[in-house]
Amino acid sequence: MIQAISLDKYYRLLNIGPTVLVSSKHEEKENVMAAAWAGIVDFYPTPKVSVILDKSSYTRELIEKSGYFALQIPVARQAEMVLALGEISGKTHPDKLRTCKTELFYREHDNIPLVKGCAGWILCERLPQTDNEQQHDLFIGKVIACYADDEIFDGHWKFETADKGWRTLHYVAGGHFYTIGDPLIVEKN
């Protein structure tokens, strides 16, 4: 079941360095792309994230027009879809989401498309930074809401007790992913 996560804990979804899916919508056009470079920018007073979006990406175009996007945390059972979303352009393939077998949903009161089956979702409002966006393809978003599936996240990740299909993806190159591994707990002295 999807549960709301307190904004002051949003960073726990990203601090494991997962590959993310970036989604956006402008008017009736929706798109989702895979991205390996997303991170935490700030915690307090305003939680913020960053993501690198190439100038040629259709999702970037939608974000620039709408001002909103979401970062999703996909899992192992979605690896084929994630790879396809990273390889197919929504600009040249208008049926990309159907081709990639990507199901979307919306949270009440939000007009940001979200990908079903992910472990977590971070909804963001774009904070325009023209120099960073143009020179470095770096987009910054203010976190406006976040959610996680309680099957795998209850304020902390539960990888050691959940089915391995819930493990997050970490992209290397050429279709090669790692999934997050087993826990290693170090006792404090």
Side-chain angles (χ1 to χ4, degrees):
M1 182 165 74
I2 296 173
Q3 62 179 336
I5 302 297
S6 171
L7 291 185
D8 66 338
K9 302 291 187 233
Y10 90 94
Y11 67 91
R12 291 182 180 173
L13 292 173
L14 285 178
N15 72 351
I16 57 172
T19 296
V20 297
L21 295 175
V22 185
S23 61
S24 190
K25 176 181 180 179
H26 178 66
E27 296 175 347
E28 297 306 311
K29 297 178 182 173
E30 304 165 315
N31 200 50
V32 180
M33 64 175 277
W37 299 330
I40 299 160
V41 174
D42 203 354
F43 303 96
Y44 180 83
T46 305
K48 296 179 193 82
V49 297
S50 66
V51 64
I52 303 294
L53 302 168
D54 187 83
K55 289 171 189 62
S56 66
S57 86
Y58 184 53
T59 302
R60 174 179 172 150
E61 183 181 314
L62 296 177
I63 292 169
E64 289 172 335
K65 290 176 180 176
S66 73
Y68 293 91
F69 64 95
L71 300 180
Q72 278 100 165
I73 316 298
V75 295
R77 67 174 175 272
Q78 296 174 305
E80 287 181 29
M81 177 191 67
V82 172
L83 186 62
L85 288 169
E87 292 180 337
I88 299 172
S89 171
K91 278 185 183 178
T92 56
H93 294 84
D95 62 343
K96 172 184 177 177
L97 298 178
R98 188 171 37 86
T99 299
C100 297
K101 299 176 183 156
T102 306
E103 292 185 62
L104 301 178
F105 71 100
Y106 289 83
R107 297 295 294 181
E108 191 175 347
H109 309 297
D110 290 312
N111 196 30
I112 305 169
L114 304 173
V115 177
K116 284 186 179 180
C118 290
W121 303 264
I122 302 171
L123 286 68
C124 304
E125 179 181 353
R126 174 184 169 220
L127 297 175
Q129 305 261 327
T130 307
D131 286 345
N132 281 336
E133 292 171 359
Q134 291 304 310
Q135 292 179 28
H136 309 292
D137 296 331
L138 176 68
F139 280 67
I140 296 175
K142 176 177 84 172
V143 177
I144 56 175
C146 63
Y147 305 94
D149 194 302
D150 64 2
E151 187 74 26
I152 188 65
F153 189 88
D154 64 1
H156 295 278
W157 290 108
K158 304 187 294 187
F159 297 116
E160 61 269 27
T161 58
D163 180 89
K164 290 189 181 199
W166 277 108
R167 293 196 174 188
T168 56
L169 296 169
H170 304 263
Y171 189 66
V172 179
H176 187 122
F177 291 93
Y178 284 100
T179 57
I180 198 151
D182 296 321
L184 172 65
I185 299 170
V186 178
E187 296 295 326
K188 295 180 183 181
N189 290 331

